[in-house]
Amino acid sequence: MYSENQKSKTKTFHKWFTRKNKREKAHDQLNEISDDSEDEVDILDDVYVHSLETDPCISTNELRIFVGTWNVAGRSPVGSLAVDLDEWLNLKDAADMYVLGFQEIVPLKTRNVIGAEDPTEATNWNLLIGKTLNDKYGCPWLTPMTDPISSYHYHYDKISDSERRTSVSGHSGIQQLRTEDENLYGGSKYKLMASKKMVGVFISVWMKKELLSKYYVSNVKVSSVACGIMGYLGNKGSVSVSMSIEGTSFCFIAAHLASGEKKGDECRRNHQVTEIFRRTSFPRSSEDDCNPQPLTILGHDRIFWFGDLNYRLYLEDNLARYLIKKQDWKALQEFDQLRRELENGGVFQGWREGNIEFAPTYKYSTSNCNRYSGGLPSRSGEKQRTPAWCDRILWYGKGIEQLSYFRSESKFSDHRPVSALFSIPVEVKKPTNPRIFPLQTILPTIKPPRKREPGNNNEETKSTLSSLMAKDLIEASPTNML
């Protein structure tokens, strides 16, 4: 009895398999085979092969980052400045992140350079930036409360694990910037991620709060390098922020380099750039996550260097003003010190800067004035300065696309603020393979093996085989062949 049933089953299966091969040959001749027409047995093999894949899936998202720099000439932020800040930040086209670098947020007097750091001006600027970013969207900006310690580092508070896992590296004496209760009124749209002040150089990094739930942001660190008077005072130098967003590491460097337009002053600036590269470090700590993090500037994937870099023009003052009057920016750039250094490899080898299509940003006569300092005839007591593009934004790394590069027209100081908008790819890792599913999900007609009565073995085998054959007959029908 068993032998006859086995022969019958084998014969039936042989006929079905022969017809299946003929139909596949016909499909090959008609070039109508597609992945979606595979039968369940083929899908089973596909699942088995892909279940062996263990590498994480990586997708790429685009992040829009606004980078800005502004030398504010030692002036404190005031209420009327909010209008200028709004225009500079270009909030009509809001970015995902705002990275802002300032120079001379305090006057560069001896007591400020060699005295103890005072966080007052940094807090005032952060208050104004936060209010400008968040009030624009009708979100309440609650007054930050600072710890009563004399620190000048700022980092954002970790959000809870229920919102998103976040690892933040800390430093001793960190001052946290907090709101009274962000959930009380729905919270702010942008959150302060990191901030650092060194004398007059200041950096402030903000991120859309919704992205903290979307991305894994980790290892936020700050560093400062003083390379001013005697090579070690903070009237000149840099403050930097290092952070990782998912699988991509970022470094932002806000700098203020040596001034002067005499021959050889550009060499002093080049030396300070070298010192900042050499001395900027982001040591690992016990609070870091398990992923290795960059220790130096050039160890990061995407790097932005911006600030009052103070590079001038190799050009006589009257010729420079003549080209400015003609708005011949291309001709003027031929004499730009920084552009020449980039081309000759003297500094920033392999770095990029967008095309400059705006007037030089320094030096204007006074605040609330739209006239360059000096010139003929010069006014009494006014410094003679050849206009130059002192305020610049450079970048380094693959996949960075600059969307805009422009200056704003605030008359708050003798510099005009400069900004750039970037589109940057961010690698997002997915730890699981979405193609691996339980077999019963893909093949609902095939049940897991279980103990069966001897008499039911043939019936259940025939039932499973019949379901495959019935499905195959439907697919092989003339209507499905057309």
Side-chain angles (χ1 to χ4, degrees), residues 5-19:
N5 287 336
Q6 185 67 23
K7 288 180 180 180
S8 175
K9 181 182 71 173
T10 302
K11 185 176 180 180
T12 304
F13 182 82
H14 178 72
K15 291 180 179 179
W16 168 74
F17 187 75
T18 302
R19 185 175 66 255

Side-chain angles (χ1 to χ4, degrees), residues 58-205:
I58 299 178
S59 62
T60 302
N61 291 351
E62 293 296 320
L63 197 66
R64 287 161 56 90
I65 298 182
F66 177 101
V67 178
T69 178
W70 194 0
N71 185 319
V72 294
R75 298 189 64 191
S76 297
V78 295
S80 60
L81 185 60
V83 176
D84 294 352
L85 211 61
D86 190 351
E87 190 260 341
W88 176 40
L89 300 181
N90 192 28
L91 293 175
K92 294 178 181 178
D93 188 20
D96 297 314
M97 287 183 62
Y98 284 86
V99 183
L100 307 179
F102 295 85
Q103 303 81 44
E104 298 187 45
I105 66 169
V106 297
L108 299 183
K109 298 178 180 179
T110 303
R111 60 184 177 85
N112 289 329
V113 175
I114 65 176
E117 285 284 356
D118 182 356
T120 302
E121 292 304 319
T123 301
N124 289 339
W125 277 105
N126 276 332
L127 280 168
L128 182 59
I129 295 167
K131 180 176 176 60
T132 304
L133 287 175
N134 292 297
D135 281 2
K136 187 71 178 178
Y137 299 92
C139 298
W141 175 248
L142 306 179
T143 303
M145 305 298 293
T146 55
D147 295 336
I149 57 176
S150 58
S151 171
Y152 49 97
H153 298 74
Y154 299 85
H155 290 273
Y156 77 107
D157 287 330
K158 294 182 183 180
I159 58 176
S160 63
D161 291 338
S162 61
E163 292 181 272
R164 192 65 161 101
R165 297 174 300 129
T166 307
S167 173
V168 182
S169 175
H171 297 257
S172 60
I174 289 178
Q175 183 177 18
Q176 303 269 347
L177 195 67
R178 301 185 179 94
T179 59
E180 293 172 349
D181 186 358
E182 290 187 346
N183 296 322
L184 186 60
Y185 300 105
S188 54
K189 187 177 182 69
Y190 287 90
K191 193 171 186 66
L192 179 62
M193 301 297 296
S195 179
K196 178 77 173 82
K197 173 186 177 294
M198 181 189 72
V199 186
V201 189
F202 173 58
I203 189 171
S204 185
V205 180

Side-chain angles (χ1 to χ4, degrees), residues 238-281:
S238 68
V239 290
S240 307
V241 171
S242 170
M243 63 190 302
S244 293
I245 303 176
E246 291 289 343
T248 305
S249 59
F250 290 84
C251 189
F252 305 102
I253 305 102
H256 192 187
L257 304 183
S259 60
E261 56 184 14
K262 300 188 303 293
K263 185 177 180 179
D265 284 340
E266 69 277 13
C267 296
R268 294 169 55 217
R269 293 185 269 273
N270 290 353
H271 175 71
Q272 289 178 348
V273 170
T274 302
E275 284 295 288
I276 291 171
F277 273 120
R278 184 178 69 87
R279 291 160 53 191
T280 300
S281 64

